[in-house]
Amino acid sequence: MDMVDLILTVCLIANPSNCRDEHLYFESRGSLVQCMMLAPSEIAKWSQQHPTLTVKRWKCAFPNEDRAI
């Protein structure tokens, strides 16, 4: 099964300079365009589950083969 990686750059609301990347993985449907179309709703769900963080930016990519999922 091929995967796609939705990479969120998130920061603490209380300390906006404290940021990190979060990775959400999905089954690939053949292109990164599908990820881009599905991302906003997934980001909204993730944000509701993490109220102390804010998403500053995001992108879709194919995961590195050496990264464990």
Side-chain angles (χ1 to χ4, degrees), residues 8 24 38-50 55:
L8 308 177
L24 306 178
L38 296 172
S41 64
E42 294 301 322
I43 293 168
K45 287 181 208 174
W46 189 93
S47 294
Q48 287 179 340
Q49 296 170 353
H50 301 85
V55 177

Side-chain angles (χ1 to χ4, degrees), residues 2-15:
D2 291 328
M3 301 296 285
V4 67
D5 185 2
L6 174 56
I7 305 165
L8 308 177
T9 300
V10 299
C11 304
L12 286 172
I13 291 174
N15 183 2

Side-chain angles (χ1 to χ4, degrees), residues 13-31:
I13 291 174
N15 183 2
S17 64
N18 186 353
C19 301
R20 69 176 190 264
D21 285 344
E22 289 285 331
H23 296 261
L24 306 178
Y25 296 98
F26 302 94
E27 182 180 346
S28 173
R29 296 203 166 92
S31 74

